[in-house]
Amino acid sequence: MLIDLHTHSNCSDGTDSPAELIRHARDASLDVLALTDHDTSDGWDEARRAAAAQELQLVPGMEISCLHARAGVHLLAYYLDPDYPPLAAELDKIRAGRINRLPAMLAGLREAGIAITQADVDGVSTEASSPGRPHVADALVKLGVVRNREEAFDRYLGWGRPGYVSHYATELAEMLTLVRQAGGVSVVAHPWGRGSRRVLTAGVLADLAAIGLTGIEVDHLDHDAAARAQLTEIGSELGLVATGGSDYHGTGKLDHPLGGETTDLEQFERLQAAVP
Ligand code: AMP
Ligand code: ZN
Ligand code: FE
Ligand code: FE
């Protein structure tokens, strides 16, 4: 059983449509795939239809932008009802924050001497209900300013760079509650990746487990072997499920192939059993 619980489509910052993503998942011999776009469930219907035709099990999911101790934390949520009104309202607020920060990002880039406009970003994010920095990166590639997203983040869009502007995100504890109320389960994404390692200590993970966190994403490319070993130990002490996922973004992120990181069947079954 090949199970990949972290992927993106062009409804957020991936480059495959949901149907293309499902086709690529079959090509990669996956049995179970979670679609986890940033802050949107807009790809679910198309992915469900494509998965049903391919005999692939689709897990409806989302990677939600949260904050803990003022640091950005990504929360993977599965099987949640995105129409549960308090959750839907919060997701609307996050997506609005993503859209509303674009003028400030573009102003920063123009100050750095790049002639970029909203139309350039719109031209590369036509399917995205949840636009992000990767779309600005794609616009910079199209303008010939950089070669790829990686270079765009390094030079212009990473923290402290001229085009960097943060966006609204929900307090993590609040989102854990909303996900549970919406009938879903929560797994903290790449906890010891960029940004969140400083704040997501073993003690904090224990606090989060006590207020409804179900799992931690141990197997992710942002984690080296030592981080994976430590997170596995912390997770097992806390009774948390250990998941893995590729964080596939199509051609948008290099070296993140579908199924490159996977979740053990036993852990997947524990995750499903935790659905309220
Ligand atoms: P945003 O959500 O708009 O703040 O953008 C963050 C997203 O950009 C992350 O979730 C990744 O998908 C993507 N990202 C971050 N760093 C890089 C990078 N160096 N190259 C390509 N994509 C990146
Ligand atoms: Zn992304
Ligand atoms: Fe993430
Ligand atoms: Fe992701």
Side-chain angles (χ1 to χ4, degrees):
M1 282 284 273
L2 277 180
I3 303 166
D4 187 338
L5 295 183
H6 187 163
T7 71
H8 298 269
S9 78
N10 63 4
C11 291
S12 65
D13 56 9
T15 58
D16 291 355
S17 69
E20 284 165 347
L21 172 66
I22 298 298
R23 207 163 352 99
H24 289 143
R26 282 310 292 172
D27 292 346
S29 303
L30 289 174
D31 301 289
V32 180
L33 178 94
L35 173 59
T36 55
D37 274 315
H38 297 282
D39 310 311
T40 180
S41 59
D42 280 1
W44 289 7
D45 286 344
E46 183 183 324
R48 273 202 187 105
R49 282 193 299 273
Q54 307 255 1
E55 289 182 15
L56 181 131
Q57 183 179 345
L58 179 80
V59 175
M62 216 184 279
E63 184 175 16
I64 306 178
S65 305
C66 297
L67 279 179
H68 185 78
R70 301 172 72 187
V73 174
H74 285 173
L75 188 70
L76 292 163
Y78 302 102
Y79 303 110
L80 67 175
D81 173 7
D83 298 323
Y84 170 61
L87 174 67
E90 198 54 31
L91 293 170
D92 278 345
K93 203 169 159 184
I94 298 173
R95 288 192 304 267
R98 288 178 165 280
I99 292 163
N100 295 340
R101 76 172 158 164
L102 285 168
M105 292 180 72
L106 300 177
L109 292 171
R110 281 194 293 267
E111 248 171 66
I114 300 164
I116 184 171
T117 67
Q118 182 68 48
D120 295 313
V121 180
D122 293 343
V124 295
S125 58
T126 49
E127 306 302 322
S129 43
S130 187
R133 283 181 285 164
H135 298 109
V136 180
D138 290 348
L140 292 171
V141 172
K142 207 165 169 186
L143 288 168
V145 176
V146 293
R147 273 160 305 170
N148 50 41
R149 285 185 179 182
E150 194 71 38
E151 187 183 349
F153 272 84
D154 286 349
R155 291 175 60 190
Y156 297 111
L157 302 173
W159 192 86
R161 299 288 174 200
Y164 178 82
V165 177
S166 65
H167 67 80
Y168 173 78
T170 310
E171 280 300 323
L172 182 57
E174 186 189 337
M175 188 51 75
L176 285 170
T177 303
L178 285 174
V179 169
R180 184 144 283 260
Q181 287 172 347
V185 287
S186 295
V187 173
V188 66
H190 45 71
W192 287 1
R194 277 182 302 265
S196 54
R197 181 166 192 152
R198 183 174 55 79
V199 299
L200 294 179
T201 59
V204 167
L205 290 170
D207 293 344
L208 297 173
I211 58 167
L213 182 70
T214 295
I216 45 187
E217 187 183 45
V218 170
D219 287 314
H220 185 281
L221 275 169
D222 287 356
H223 296 156
D224 61 19
R228 292 175 197 221
Q230 278 189 64
L231 284 168
T232 300
E233 196 177 318
I234 292 167
S236 86
E237 271 171 26
L238 296 172
L240 291 168
V241 174
T243 72
S246 63
D247 209 355
Y248 173 78
H249 281 70
T251 56
K253 227 179 196 179
L254 308 173
D255 310 321
H256 286 244
L258 268 175
E261 301 283 352
T262 55
T263 299
D264 287 343
L265 177 59
E266 187 200 331
Q267 299 294 322
F268 178 53
E269 286 172 347
R270 286 180 64 206
L271 185 72
Q272 290 177 299
V275 175

